Amino acid sequence: MEEITIHRLNDSRRQGPELAYLVAVEANEQESMWGAEDSLNELEELANTAGATVLGRMVQHLAQPDAQTYLGKGKAQELAELDKQLTLDLIIFDDELSPTQQKTLEKMLNARVVDRTALILDVFAQRARSHEGRLQVELAQAEYLLPRLAGSSTYSRQAGGSLGAGGTGGAIGVRGPGETRLELDRRRIRHRITSLRKEIEETHAQRALQRKQRIAQAMPTIALVGYTNAGKSTLFNALTGAGSLAEDKLFATLDPITRRLLLPNNQEALLSDTVGFIQKLPTRLIAAFRATLEEVVEADLLLEVVDIRHENAFEQSETVRDILDELGASDKPRVTALNKIDLLHDPATIDTSLYTNAVPISATQVTGLEELCAKISSVLADAMEQVRVLLPFERGDLVELFHRRGLIEHEEHDEEGTWLQGRLPHSLAAYFLPFVEVTE
Ligand SMILES: Nc1nc2c(ncn2[C@@H]2O[C@H](COP(=O)(O)OP(=O)(O)OP(=O)(O)O)[C@@H](O)[C@H]2O)c(=O)[nH]1
Ligand SMILES: [Mg+2]
């Protein structure tokens, strides 16, 4: 602690990164398999991504977080002392605080009180690029803020716009998407929420249309899913040659992007890169990203990327499974890419049996990708429909479509037309329905 105090400048308007302190309660009865220290490591990464420097952390073991002060009363007092001593800019709590906890803590502390949700929203706000992404983040922020505004010093203190260190558009926790500042007037927030919902609804309708056109093209769709920073975008680029932003940062990708992917047997599919998941992601946030995550919900196959070198790889994958459950997408066909094997001492030691249809790969070294595509192809084939059709000569287009998107097992021509037997993606089956021949 001493050392930290020496490095500190006592001027609260100094330039440079905001100084933060992390706080977690390790609850006895929590369902999650994450430990408090691992969760705090991740919170620290989030804080760094948001531009803060973390000076230290505090963990308390409790049956459950205190309803008023999150920490126990004594420990909260201790935190207040520390806050004075270090003149912190913000204190970040590793759970979502209730409005009551937020207010009580703000009375006790000089530093701004920021919880995990506000921090994630802050990172999202800095990352959102597309129009739709910005709308979704702003809506999630507005809905988060509304019940917390009355009497909150963290939010009302910033309203004048003069405070706040570092970063564009204000301080961590009160920044909107891009250069904007969050609206902090309750009446105006309510209006904004209504108009944001409407605008999102409109963009949503557009996406639904695009998706319909895609179904008309009848390619099987594959969505990348996985924990943030697992390497989804790197793999996306390696597989499609596209330029999706890949960075050693949490939530580098917010906006979905879709490209064509060529599988073995010249079968084509569409691959989408999407937003990463993180533990303790509030349901409200998932709801806000529902439009973006529709790529996931609508996909024929999910390609999960796991950073197998991460010490919490399994916990991260569990978290991904929980969120997919929440989205109603957990029973889709799945292939798991166990990524970053180039960083492992001995890749042969990986226990692939822990994951569904797992293939060890390195997205940066471009190793294992052929095996991965072969696995995708075979899992897709398993999920396809077995059909036998007789296509009349004038439907050469359907013969060609079957060749391109399906898997042909038998082909024959006679005076009636072309007989094709094989497997077709479900999305395509409807086109062939009038020509289906019952197999004896
Ligand atoms: N050593 C190694 N690093 C990798 C590999 N794949 C990805 N990375 C690195 O991991 C970091 C995160 O990669 P991204 O592709 O941005 O991860 P992401 O899953 O898209 O992350 P978000 O979009 O933030 O959710 C980057 O620094 C990549 O260079 C790999 O196979 N080996
Ligand atoms: Mg990404």
Side-chain angles (χ1 to χ4, degrees), residues 106-174:
E106 281 175 350
K107 276 191 202 115
M108 301 178 69
L109 304 165
N110 289 321
R112 290 199 316 286
V113 172
V114 172
D115 65 13
R116 183 179 247 266
T117 306
L119 185 61
I120 292 176
L121 284 170
D122 187 280
V123 172
F124 274 25
Q126 304 313 299
R127 289 272 186 270
R129 291 285 172 275
S130 75
H131 182 58
E132 191 180 14
R134 282 163 182 252
L135 294 176
Q136 291 180 118
V137 173
E138 200 188 335
L139 178 62
Q141 283 184 312
E143 288 180 335
Y144 168 84
L145 270 176
L146 198 56
R148 289 175 169 78
L149 275 182
S152 158
S153 55
T154 292
Y155 298 115
S156 58
R157 217 191 323 187
Q158 299 294 324
S162 58
L163 266 175
T168 49
I172 295 168
V174 289

Side-chain angles (χ1 to χ4, degrees), residues 232-234 244-246 252-253 273-274:
K232 297 178 294 299
S233 299
T234 311
S244 186
L245 178 70
T253 309
D273 187 15
T274 53

Side-chain angles (χ1 to χ4, degrees), residues 228-234 247 251-253 339-340 342 362-364:
T228 181
N229 218 38
K232 297 178 294 299
S233 299
T234 311
E247 265 186 300
F251 301 112
T253 309
N339 192 28
K340 309 197 187 180
D342 56 292
S362 165
T364 47

